[in-house]
Amino acid sequence: NAGVTQTPKFRVLKTGQSMTLLCAQDMNHEYMYWYRQDPGMGLRLIHYSVGEGTTAKGEVPDGYNVSRLKKQNFLLGLESAAPSQTSVYFCASGRNREVLGEQYFGPGTRLTVT
Amino acid sequence: GQNIDQPTEMTATEGAIVQINCTYQTSGFNGLFWYQQHAGEAPTFLSYNVLDGLEEKGRFSSFLSRSKGYSYLLLKELQMKDSASYLCAVFRGSTLGRLYFGRGTQLTVWP
């Protein structure tokens, strides 16, 4: 099993450009999450999904959109990138509600917005 | 909101024991989780506590006191590879299952 994979691994965008980050998991997990990690700030939840076709806002959702059309995929979109969105983005998945705190993380996407 | 506090940095020597503390203030508490994150890598799950007491997993143990809003991660027989950031996270089931992370404790193990 590949676990949780993310594409791309690195990306440089110019202010105003758009892009989509793809997360895929092959563990048949219901729950999926998008976090961003900035120095000194820890992991902050952007959006999450409790099942196919559902999404919910996390702590820092502004400037991002998500979609979960298939159970195994969770997409994070930036419609108009800003320098404040320079960060490392992690996707994670969780098995079921009873052990949701045990999340499996992808390797991360390092995004720089100039 | 959630207030999760843990020390920013700690250092220790190989073979020693280190305790990383975490305090939290939150409503709807359902569990306390610890993650390890090596530089440039993704966080990986270490342990969790739902009830008060000590949970032991090999060289790592985690303790929880819900009445005090306090947890610690105990690392024994430290090895160089234990140099990493340790993230404390509170799980709140009342919000559809979310983890709230502290800012992490950067542990450096010296030879």
Side-chain angles (χ1 to χ4, degrees):
Chain A
N1 287 350
V4 180
T5 58
Q6 293 182 231
T7 52
K9 288 187 169 52
F10 302 92
R11 186 72 186 270
V12 178
L13 285 179
K14 294 186 177 179
T15 297
Q17 287 185 320
S18 63
M19 78 165 293
T20 300
L21 282 67
L22 172 63
C23 175
Q25 53 97 1
D26 61 3
M27 297 174 283
N28 201 35
H29 287 173
E30 290 291 334
Y31 296 75
M32 296 187 74
Y33 307 84
W34 275 108
Y35 294 91
R36 61 177 290 174
Q37 187 173 40
D38 304 293
M41 294 297 294
L43 282 161
R44 293 183 292 170
L45 184 65
I46 305 171
H47 286 282
Y48 62 111
S49 169
V50 301
E52 182 178 315
T54 73
T55 62
K57 293 181 180 179
E59 185 181 358
V60 288
D62 293 342
Y64 305 95
N65 56 73
V66 287
S67 64
R68 183 103 182 264
L69 299 179
K70 292 183 178 180
K71 185 177 183 178
Q72 63 268 34
N73 295 338
F74 195 28
L75 279 62
L76 178 70
L78 285 74
E79 290 185 348
S80 179
S84 61
Q85 294 178 303
T86 293
S87 187
V88 180
Y89 291 85
F90 287 103
C91 175
S93 69
R95 231 178 331 152
N96 55 54
R97 203 175 188 286
E98 285 67 39
V99 290
L100 275 177
E102 184 178 341
Q103 296 179 6
Y104 299 81
F105 284 79
T109 295
R110 282 151 182 78
L111 175 66
T112 301
V113 183
T114 61
Chain B
Q2 282 64 233
N3 294 318
I4 302 171
D5 291 314
Q6 50 183 132
T8 304
E9 294 179 331
M10 297 184 72
T11 60
T13 54
E14 229 177 347
I17 299 173
V18 71
Q19 178 175 312
I20 302 174
N21 296 324
C22 172
T23 59
Y24 63 89
Q25 291 178 308
T26 185
S27 58
F29 174 85
N30 284 106
L32 194 292
F33 287 73
W34 286 95
Y35 281 77
Q36 180 190 59
Q37 186 177 24
H38 286 101
E41 298 183 8
T44 56
F45 168 74
L46 277 181
S47 70
Y48 78 99
N49 297 72
V50 177
L51 301 176
D52 291 353
L54 189 69
E55 293 285 341
E56 297 187 76
K57 287 178 75 173
R59 293 190 299 115
F60 294 2
S61 303
S62 57
F63 171 83
L64 175 66
S65 169
R66 289 173 295 171
S67 62
K68 295 182 179 178
Y70 168 69
S71 174
Y72 67 72
L73 180 69
L74 193 71
L75 292 75
K76 303 175 186 175
E77 301 170 12
L78 281 172
Q79 302 174 11
M80 299 288 289
K81 67 178 183 179
D82 296 328
S83 292
S85 182
Y86 291 85
L87 312 176
C88 168
V90 169
F91 177 66
R92 289 184 62 201
S94 61
T95 48
L96 297 178
R98 284 181 52 178
L99 275 176
Y100 295 82
F101 284 88
R103 299 186 177 192
T105 298
Q106 182 62 49
L107 173 66
T108 302
V109 180
W110 299 103

